[in-house]
Amino acid sequence: MPTITVNASSKYNVIIGSGLLKNCGEYVKDVINGGKIALITDDNVDKFHGSAVYESLTAAGFDVRKFVFRHGEASKCHETLIRIYSFLAENHFTRTDCIAALGGGVTGDMAGYAAATYLRGMNFIQLPTSLLAQVDSSVGGKTAVDIPEGKNLVGAFKQPALVLCDTSALATLPREFLIDGMGEVVKYGMIKSAELFDILMENNISSIGNIMEDIVTRCVTIKRDVVEADEFDKGERMLLNFGHTLGHSIEQYYNYTGISHGCAVAKGMEMITALSEKHGRCRKGLTDTLLECLKKYELDITVEPAPSALGAACMNDKKRMGGSISIIICSDTGTSSAVKMSTDEFTEFLN
Ligand code: GLY
């Protein structure tokens, strides 16, 4: 099975393959030295994978306690986090015990933040079950919860000790979640790999499931390289934000309802590429190439948010530093750079 080693402030493996969840105990015991595991998951994922993971971890000798919360972004908040802390305290978890995040980005981000903060840090492993979590959020150590003022505004860096990307879990995903994750996959092709982008152009949403192990491996390899170059998000890692500054503003504009993260990022990538093309900053025709790819993966970008409202929302972006904002621009597929703009320049660029 493809194994990608991440050499960040701590070193860990990301293992990619089919059937990993039902055998996860075997892999976890290689990196976690016995003790208790808090298995944190949501009610949807629990139905599909909860028992298999619980049984495998128990068979490997761990004392497993499960915490299940209601699925959805609305749960990624301080209220759920406090319930997790209480659960850990009531079950007498110690710093040498472990939190296992089983699920998508919401679970991984929130369970990771609990692991970063409870007792000032516990062991942590990621068992991502969504495409978005496998290719992006489970790798690289970003953890967070949302506050009413914005997504992921409170968080910490906490690298996991192990990530198991079970590609067979992707088969249980509703189609809209696969589409959602493809937004991030297209992003990787645009920012770093023309080869990945070409593979995406040769496939579509119906055929891509047949080559998921290769797709996840390519994306995680890119993410690993970027994280190793800039773990704490001061430079190179910002490239992963392509389409996200506008995408997050679009999600906020629509109150996080009616548009998925993947479609908002797709719209953000399309808008920034069209603007780059208009300002002569990328290959002529790149917007059409990107649009063709987004269509293959049914990423709906028909929303038309007002650019003036987006400009204001972008000012809350986490990548903003002082009076400037770093905008990620692709000059062609596989080639990206960060362009620093003053907030006035950015507003002008948007209009
Ligand atoms: N998801 C973007 C990052 O990990 O930096």
Side-chain angles (χ1 to χ4, degrees), residues 38-88:
L39 179 60
I40 299 186
T41 190
D42 72 32
D43 51 352
N44 275 347
V45 174
D46 187 36
K47 273 186 233 145
F48 286 105
H49 308 294
S51 308
V53 170
Y54 184 94
E55 277 160 27
S56 179
L57 291 173
T58 305
F62 293 103
D63 173 4
V64 186
R65 313 285 167 99
K66 190 163 71 172
F67 179 94
V68 182
F69 63 93
R70 192 180 146 66
H71 66 277
E73 187 75 31
S75 291
K76 195 175 137 185
C77 60
H78 279 93
E79 193 188 81
T80 319
L81 186 68
I82 297 289
R83 288 204 290 121
I84 294 174
Y85 292 148
S86 297
F87 166 83
L88 294 170

Short mmCIF file of all heavy atoms in Angstrom, two decimals, residues 38-88:
data_model
loop_
_atom_site.label_atom_id
_atom_site.label_comp_id
_atom_site.label_asym_id
_atom_site.label_seq_id
_atom_site.Cartn_x
_atom_site.Cartn_y
_atom_site.Cartn_z
N ALA A 38 -9.83 7.43 22.66
CA ALA A 38 -11.13 8.10 22.53
C ALA A 38 -11.46 8.13 21.04
O ALA A 38 -10.79 8.84 20.27
CB ALA A 38 -11.06 9.51 23.09
N LEU A 39 -12.44 7.34 20.64
CA LEU A 39 -12.82 7.28 19.22
C LEU A 39 -13.90 8.33 19.00
O LEU A 39 -15.03 8.19 19.48
CB LEU A 39 -13.34 5.87 18.91
CG LEU A 39 -13.82 5.61 17.48
CD1 LEU A 39 -12.71 5.85 16.47
CD2 LEU A 39 -14.35 4.18 17.35
N ILE A 40 -13.52 9.41 18.30
CA ILE A 40 -14.46 10.52 18.11
C ILE A 40 -14.99 10.49 16.68
O ILE A 40 -14.21 10.45 15.71
CB ILE A 40 -13.76 11.86 18.44
CG1 ILE A 40 -13.33 11.83 19.91
CG2 ILE A 40 -14.70 13.05 18.16
CD1 ILE A 40 -12.77 13.10 20.45
N THR A 41 -16.32 10.47 16.56
CA THR A 41 -16.93 10.34 15.23
C THR A 41 -18.31 10.99 15.24
O THR A 41 -18.83 11.36 16.29
CB THR A 41 -16.99 8.85 14.83
OG1 THR A 41 -17.36 8.75 13.46
CG2 THR A 41 -17.98 8.05 15.67
N ASP A 42 -18.91 11.14 14.02
CA ASP A 42 -20.28 11.68 13.99
C ASP A 42 -21.28 10.55 13.77
O ASP A 42 -20.90 9.41 13.46
CB ASP A 42 -20.40 12.83 12.98
CG ASP A 42 -20.37 12.38 11.54
OD1 ASP A 42 -20.83 11.26 11.23
OD2 ASP A 42 -19.89 13.15 10.68
N ASP A 43 -22.56 10.87 13.94
CA ASP A 43 -23.59 9.82 13.88
C ASP A 43 -23.67 9.14 12.52
O ASP A 43 -23.95 7.94 12.44
CB ASP A 43 -24.96 10.37 14.33
CG ASP A 43 -25.36 11.65 13.61
OD1 ASP A 43 -24.53 12.21 12.87
OD2 ASP A 43 -26.50 12.12 13.80
N ASN A 44 -23.42 9.87 11.43
CA ASN A 44 -23.47 9.24 10.09
C ASN A 44 -22.33 8.25 9.89
O ASN A 44 -22.53 7.12 9.47
CB ASN A 44 -23.34 10.32 8.99
CG ASN A 44 -24.68 10.94 8.66
OD1 ASN A 44 -25.72 10.42 9.05
ND2 ASN A 44 -24.65 12.05 7.95
N VAL A 45 -21.12 8.71 10.18
CA VAL A 45 -19.94 7.87 9.96
C VAL A 45 -19.97 6.67 10.91
O VAL A 45 -19.60 5.55 10.55
CB VAL A 45 -18.64 8.70 10.14
CG1 VAL A 45 -17.40 7.81 10.08
CG2 VAL A 45 -18.56 9.79 9.08
N ASP A 46 -20.48 6.91 12.12
CA ASP A 46 -20.57 5.83 13.11
C ASP A 46 -21.36 4.64 12.55
O ASP A 46 -20.96 3.49 12.72
CB ASP A 46 -21.22 6.37 14.39
CG ASP A 46 -21.19 5.35 15.51
OD1 ASP A 46 -20.19 4.61 15.60
OD2 ASP A 46 -22.16 5.29 16.29
N LYS A 47 -22.46 4.96 11.83
CA LYS A 47 -23.32 3.89 11.27
C LYS A 47 -22.53 2.99 10.31
O LYS A 47 -22.71 1.79 10.27
CB LYS A 47 -24.48 4.52 10.50
CG LYS A 47 -25.67 4.84 11.38
CD LYS A 47 -26.81 5.34 10.50
CE LYS A 47 -27.31 6.66 11.02
NZ LYS A 47 -27.76 7.62 10.06
N PHE A 48 -21.66 3.62 9.50
CA PHE A 48 -20.93 2.86 8.48
C PHE A 48 -19.66 2.17 9.02
O PHE A 48 -19.34 1.07 8.63
CB PHE A 48 -20.52 3.79 7.32
CG PHE A 48 -21.66 4.16 6.43
CD1 PHE A 48 -22.22 5.43 6.49
CD2 PHE A 48 -22.20 3.24 5.54
CE1 PHE A 48 -23.28 5.78 5.68
CE2 PHE A 48 -23.26 3.58 4.73
CZ PHE A 48 -23.81 4.84 4.79
N HIS A 49 -18.92 2.89 9.85
CA HIS A 49 -17.57 2.41 10.19
C HIS A 49 -17.30 2.25 11.68
O HIS A 49 -16.25 1.72 12.05
CB HIS A 49 -16.51 3.37 9.62
CG HIS A 49 -16.68 3.65 8.16
ND1 HIS A 49 -16.52 2.69 7.20
CD2 HIS A 49 -17.03 4.80 7.50
CE1 HIS A 49 -16.75 3.23 6.01
NE2 HIS A 49 -17.05 4.49 6.16
N GLY A 50 -18.21 2.76 12.53
CA GLY A 50 -17.95 2.78 13.97
C GLY A 50 -17.61 1.41 14.55
O GLY A 50 -16.59 1.26 15.23
N SER A 51 -18.44 0.41 14.23
CA SER A 51 -18.23 -0.92 14.85
C SER A 51 -16.92 -1.54 14.39
O SER A 51 -16.17 -2.10 15.20
CB SER A 51 -19.36 -1.88 14.49
OG SER A 51 -20.56 -1.31 14.78
N ALA A 52 -16.65 -1.49 13.06
CA ALA A 52 -15.43 -2.13 12.53
C ALA A 52 -14.18 -1.54 13.18
O ALA A 52 -13.26 -2.27 13.57
CB ALA A 52 -15.37 -1.98 11.02
N VAL A 53 -14.18 -0.21 13.32
CA VAL A 53 -13.00 0.45 13.89
C VAL A 53 -12.88 0.11 15.38
O VAL A 53 -11.80 -0.23 15.88
CB VAL A 53 -13.07 1.98 13.66
CG1 VAL A 53 -11.99 2.71 14.45
CG2 VAL A 53 -12.93 2.29 12.17
N TYR A 54 -14.02 0.17 16.07
CA TYR A 54 -14.04 -0.14 17.51
C TYR A 54 -13.50 -1.56 17.74
O TYR A 54 -12.64 -1.79 18.60
CB TYR A 54 -15.48 -0.02 18.03
CG TYR A 54 -15.63 -0.24 19.51
CD1 TYR A 54 -15.63 0.84 20.39
CD2 TYR A 54 -15.77 -1.53 20.02
CE1 TYR A 54 -15.75 0.62 21.76
CE2 TYR A 54 -15.90 -1.74 21.39
CZ TYR A 54 -15.89 -0.66 22.25
OH TYR A 54 -16.01 -0.86 23.59
N GLU A 55 -14.00 -2.51 16.93
CA GLU A 55 -13.59 -3.91 17.12
C GLU A 55 -12.11 -4.12 16.81
O GLU A 55 -11.40 -4.83 17.53
CB GLU A 55 -14.45 -4.83 16.25
CG GLU A 55 -15.78 -5.14 16.94
CD GLU A 55 -16.86 -5.62 15.99
OE1 GLU A 55 -16.50 -6.19 14.93
OE2 GLU A 55 -18.03 -5.38 16.30
N SER A 56 -11.64 -3.48 15.75
CA SER A 56 -10.23 -3.67 15.37
C SER A 56 -9.29 -3.09 16.45
O SER A 56 -8.28 -3.70 16.80
CB SER A 56 -9.96 -3.02 14.01
OG SER A 56 -8.62 -3.17 13.68
N LEU A 57 -9.66 -1.89 16.96
CA LEU A 57 -8.81 -1.27 17.99
C LEU A 57 -8.84 -2.09 19.28
O LEU A 57 -7.82 -2.29 19.94
CB LEU A 57 -9.28 0.16 18.27
CG LEU A 57 -9.06 1.19 17.14
CD1 LEU A 57 -9.73 2.52 17.47
CD2 LEU A 57 -7.57 1.41 16.87
N THR A 58 -10.03 -2.61 19.61
CA THR A 58 -10.16 -3.42 20.83
C THR A 58 -9.36 -4.71 20.69
O THR A 58 -8.63 -5.11 21.61
CB THR A 58 -11.65 -3.73 21.10
OG1 THR A 58 -12.36 -2.49 21.14
CG2 THR A 58 -11.86 -4.45 22.42
N ALA A 59 -9.46 -5.34 19.49
CA ALA A 59 -8.72 -6.59 19.25
C ALA A 59 -7.21 -6.35 19.35
O ALA A 59 -6.45 -7.27 19.69
CB ALA A 59 -9.08 -7.15 17.89
N ALA A 60 -6.78 -5.12 19.05
CA ALA A 60 -5.34 -4.81 19.13
C ALA A 60 -4.92 -4.47 20.56
O ALA A 60 -3.76 -4.12 20.80
CB ALA A 60 -5.01 -3.65 18.18
N GLY A 61 -5.87 -4.56 21.51
CA GLY A 61 -5.50 -4.40 22.92
C GLY A 61 -5.80 -3.02 23.51
O GLY A 61 -5.47 -2.76 24.66
N PHE A 62 -6.45 -2.14 22.73
CA PHE A 62 -6.75 -0.81 23.28
C PHE A 62 -8.08 -0.83 24.03
O PHE A 62 -8.99 -1.59 23.70
CB PHE A 62 -6.83 0.22 22.14
CG PHE A 62 -5.52 0.47 21.46
CD1 PHE A 62 -5.24 -0.08 20.21
CD2 PHE A 62 -4.55 1.25 22.06
CE1 PHE A 62 -4.03 0.14 19.58
CE2 PHE A 62 -3.33 1.48 21.45
CZ PHE A 62 -3.07 0.92 20.20
N ASP A 63 -8.16 0.05 25.05
CA ASP A 63 -9.41 0.24 25.78
C ASP A 63 -10.11 1.43 25.09
O ASP A 63 -9.68 2.57 25.23
CB ASP A 63 -9.05 0.57 27.24
CG ASP A 63 -10.26 0.96 28.06
OD1 ASP A 63 -11.39 0.91 27.54
OD2 ASP A 63 -10.07 1.33 29.25
N VAL A 64 -11.13 1.11 24.29
CA VAL A 64 -11.72 2.14 23.40
C VAL A 64 -13.01 2.71 24.02
O VAL A 64 -13.89 1.97 24.44
CB VAL A 64 -12.05 1.54 22.02
CG1 VAL A 64 -12.51 2.63 21.06
CG2 VAL A 64 -10.83 0.82 21.45
N ARG A 65 -13.09 4.03 24.08
CA ARG A 65 -14.32 4.72 24.52
C ARG A 65 -14.77 5.60 23.35
O ARG A 65 -13.96 6.36 22.82
CB ARG A 65 -14.06 5.62 25.74
CG ARG A 65 -13.25 4.96 26.84
CD ARG A 65 -14.09 3.97 27.64
NE ARG A 65 -13.23 3.14 28.48
CZ ARG A 65 -13.02 3.36 29.78
NH1 ARG A 65 -13.59 4.38 30.39
NH2 ARG A 65 -12.24 2.55 30.46
N LYS A 66 -16.05 5.49 22.99
CA LYS A 66 -16.52 6.19 21.79
C LYS A 66 -17.33 7.43 22.14
O LYS A 66 -18.20 7.38 23.01
CB LYS A 66 -17.36 5.22 20.95
CG LYS A 66 -17.70 5.75 19.57
CD LYS A 66 -18.16 4.65 18.62
CE LYS A 66 -19.53 4.14 18.99
NZ LYS A 66 -20.07 3.21 17.99
N PHE A 67 -17.07 8.52 21.42
CA PHE A 67 -17.84 9.76 21.57
C PHE A 67 -18.45 10.08 20.22
O PHE A 67 -17.74 10.25 19.23
CB PHE A 67 -16.92 10.91 22.03
CG PHE A 67 -17.64 12.23 22.17
CD1 PHE A 67 -18.15 12.63 23.40
CD2 PHE A 67 -17.81 13.08 21.07
CE1 PHE A 67 -18.81 13.84 23.53
CE2 PHE A 67 -18.47 14.29 21.20
CZ PHE A 67 -18.97 14.67 22.43
N VAL A 68 -19.80 10.15 20.16
CA VAL A 68 -20.48 10.41 18.88
C VAL A 68 -21.22 11.75 18.97
O VAL A 68 -21.95 11.99 19.93
CB VAL A 68 -21.49 9.28 18.56
CG1 VAL A 68 -22.16 9.51 17.21
CG2 VAL A 68 -20.79 7.92 18.56
N PHE A 69 -21.01 12.61 17.97
CA PHE A 69 -21.73 13.89 17.94
C PHE A 69 -22.57 13.98 16.66
O PHE A 69 -22.36 13.19 15.73
CB PHE A 69 -20.76 15.08 18.06
CG PHE A 69 -19.79 15.19 16.90
CD1 PHE A 69 -20.08 15.98 15.79
CD2 PHE A 69 -18.59 14.49 16.90
CE1 PHE A 69 -19.20 16.07 14.73
CE2 PHE A 69 -17.71 14.58 15.84
CZ PHE A 69 -18.01 15.37 14.75
N ARG A 70 -23.47 14.94 16.62
CA ARG A 70 -24.33 15.09 15.44
C ARG A 70 -23.49 15.59 14.26
O ARG A 70 -22.70 16.52 14.40
CB ARG A 70 -25.46 16.08 15.78
CG ARG A 70 -26.54 16.08 14.76
CD ARG A 70 -27.67 17.06 15.09
NE ARG A 70 -28.22 17.60 13.86
CZ ARG A 70 -28.87 16.89 12.96
NH1 ARG A 70 -29.08 15.61 13.15
NH2 ARG A 70 -29.32 17.45 11.86
N HIS A 71 -23.70 14.96 13.08
CA HIS A 71 -22.92 15.33 11.90
C HIS A 71 -23.20 16.79 11.48
O HIS A 71 -24.25 17.33 11.79
CB HIS A 71 -23.24 14.39 10.73
CG HIS A 71 -24.66 14.52 10.24
ND1 HIS A 71 -25.71 13.88 10.84
CD2 HIS A 71 -25.18 15.27 9.24
CE1 HIS A 71 -26.82 14.20 10.22
NE2 HIS A 71 -26.54 15.05 9.24
N GLY A 72 -22.26 17.37 10.78
CA GLY A 72 -22.47 18.70 10.20
C GLY A 72 -21.56 19.77 10.77
O GLY A 72 -21.09 19.67 11.90
N GLU A 73 -21.33 20.79 9.94
CA GLU A 73 -20.42 21.90 10.31
C GLU A 73 -20.88 22.61 11.59
O GLU A 73 -20.06 23.09 12.36
CB GLU A 73 -20.36 22.88 9.12
CG GLU A 73 -19.35 24.00 9.25
CD GLU A 73 -17.89 23.57 9.04
OE1 GLU A 73 -17.62 22.62 8.27
OE2 GLU A 73 -17.02 24.19 9.68
N ALA A 74 -22.22 22.64 11.82
CA ALA A 74 -22.74 23.36 12.99
C ALA A 74 -22.19 22.77 14.29
O ALA A 74 -22.13 23.45 15.32
CB ALA A 74 -24.26 23.32 12.99
N SER A 75 -21.78 21.50 14.25
CA SER A 75 -21.25 20.86 15.47
C SER A 75 -19.79 21.23 15.76
O SER A 75 -19.29 20.94 16.84
CB SER A 75 -21.32 19.33 15.34
OG SER A 75 -22.65 18.90 15.37
N LYS A 76 -19.13 21.85 14.77
CA LYS A 76 -17.69 22.12 14.95
C LYS A 76 -17.52 23.43 15.75
O LYS A 76 -17.03 24.44 15.24
CB LYS A 76 -17.03 22.22 13.57
CG LYS A 76 -15.52 22.15 13.58
CD LYS A 76 -15.01 22.14 12.15
CE LYS A 76 -13.83 23.02 11.96
NZ LYS A 76 -13.42 23.10 10.56
N CYS A 77 -17.95 23.38 16.99
CA CYS A 77 -18.01 24.61 17.77
C CYS A 77 -17.55 24.32 19.20
O CYS A 77 -17.32 23.17 19.58
CB CYS A 77 -19.45 25.12 17.79
SG CYS A 77 -20.57 23.93 18.52
N HIS A 78 -17.45 25.38 19.98
CA HIS A 78 -16.96 25.23 21.35
C HIS A 78 -17.88 24.37 22.22
O HIS A 78 -17.41 23.70 23.13
CB HIS A 78 -16.73 26.61 21.98
CG HIS A 78 -15.41 27.18 21.56
ND1 HIS A 78 -15.27 28.03 20.48
CD2 HIS A 78 -14.16 26.96 22.02
CE1 HIS A 78 -13.99 28.33 20.33
NE2 HIS A 78 -13.29 27.70 21.25
N GLU A 79 -19.18 24.39 21.90
CA GLU A 79 -20.11 23.60 22.72
C GLU A 79 -19.76 22.10 22.61
O GLU A 79 -19.68 21.39 23.63
CB GLU A 79 -21.53 23.87 22.24
CG GLU A 79 -22.59 23.35 23.17
CD GLU A 79 -23.96 23.47 22.54
OE1 GLU A 79 -24.32 22.59 21.72
OE2 GLU A 79 -24.65 24.45 22.84
N THR A 80 -19.54 21.62 21.38
CA THR A 80 -19.18 20.20 21.22
C THR A 80 -17.80 19.94 21.82
O THR A 80 -17.56 18.90 22.45
CB THR A 80 -19.18 19.79 19.72
OG1 THR A 80 -20.29 20.37 19.07
CG2 THR A 80 -19.20 18.28 19.55
N LEU A 81 -16.91 20.89 21.62
CA LEU A 81 -15.55 20.73 22.14
C LEU A 81 -15.57 20.55 23.67
O LEU A 81 -14.88 19.66 24.21
CB LEU A 81 -14.72 21.96 21.76
CG LEU A 81 -13.25 21.93 22.10
CD1 LEU A 81 -12.51 20.88 21.27
CD2 LEU A 81 -12.62 23.31 21.86
N ILE A 82 -16.38 21.35 24.35
CA ILE A 82 -16.48 21.24 25.82
C ILE A 82 -17.02 19.86 26.19
O ILE A 82 -16.56 19.23 27.16
CB ILE A 82 -17.40 22.35 26.40
CG1 ILE A 82 -16.83 23.74 26.13
CG2 ILE A 82 -17.68 22.14 27.89
CD1 ILE A 82 -15.61 24.11 26.92
N ARG A 83 -17.97 19.36 25.39
CA ARG A 83 -18.51 18.02 25.69
C ARG A 83 -17.41 16.95 25.51
O ARG A 83 -17.34 15.98 26.25
CB ARG A 83 -19.72 17.72 24.78
CG ARG A 83 -20.96 18.55 25.18
CD ARG A 83 -22.26 17.88 24.73
NE ARG A 83 -22.42 17.91 23.30
CZ ARG A 83 -22.55 16.84 22.51
NH1 ARG A 83 -22.53 15.63 23.03
NH2 ARG A 83 -22.69 16.97 21.21
N ILE A 84 -16.53 17.18 24.51
CA ILE A 84 -15.42 16.23 24.31
C ILE A 84 -14.47 16.29 25.53
O ILE A 84 -14.07 15.26 26.06
CB ILE A 84 -14.66 16.52 22.99
CG1 ILE A 84 -15.56 16.25 21.79
CG2 ILE A 84 -13.37 15.68 22.90
CD1 ILE A 84 -14.97 16.63 20.44
N TYR A 85 -14.15 17.51 25.96
CA TYR A 85 -13.26 17.63 27.13
C TYR A 85 -13.87 16.91 28.35
O TYR A 85 -13.18 16.21 29.08
CB TYR A 85 -13.04 19.11 27.51
CG TYR A 85 -12.24 19.94 26.54
CD1 TYR A 85 -12.51 21.31 26.38
CD2 TYR A 85 -11.19 19.42 25.79
CE1 TYR A 85 -11.78 22.11 25.51
CE2 TYR A 85 -10.46 20.21 24.91
CZ TYR A 85 -10.76 21.56 24.77
OH TYR A 85 -10.04 22.34 23.92
N SER A 86 -15.19 17.11 28.56
CA SER A 86 -15.86 16.47 29.71
C SER A 86 -15.80 14.95 29.58
O SER A 86 -15.54 14.23 30.56
CB SER A 86 -17.32 16.91 29.81
OG SER A 86 -17.35 18.28 30.02
N PHE A 87 -16.03 14.47 28.33
CA PHE A 87 -15.97 13.03 28.08
C PHE A 87 -14.57 12.48 28.42
O PHE A 87 -14.43 11.43 29.06
CB PHE A 87 -16.33 12.79 26.60
CG PHE A 87 -16.01 11.44 26.07
CD1 PHE A 87 -16.89 10.37 26.28
CD2 PHE A 87 -14.84 11.21 25.35
CE1 PHE A 87 -16.58 9.11 25.77
CE2 PHE A 87 -14.54 9.95 24.85
CZ PHE A 87 -15.41 8.90 25.08
N LEU A 88 -13.54 13.22 28.01
CA LEU A 88 -12.16 12.77 28.28
C LEU A 88 -11.89 12.76 29.79
O LEU A 88 -11.28 11.83 30.33
CB LEU A 88 -11.15 13.69 27.57
CG LEU A 88 -11.19 13.66 26.03
CD1 LEU A 88 -10.32 14.80 25.45
CD2 LEU A 88 -10.70 12.31 25.49
#
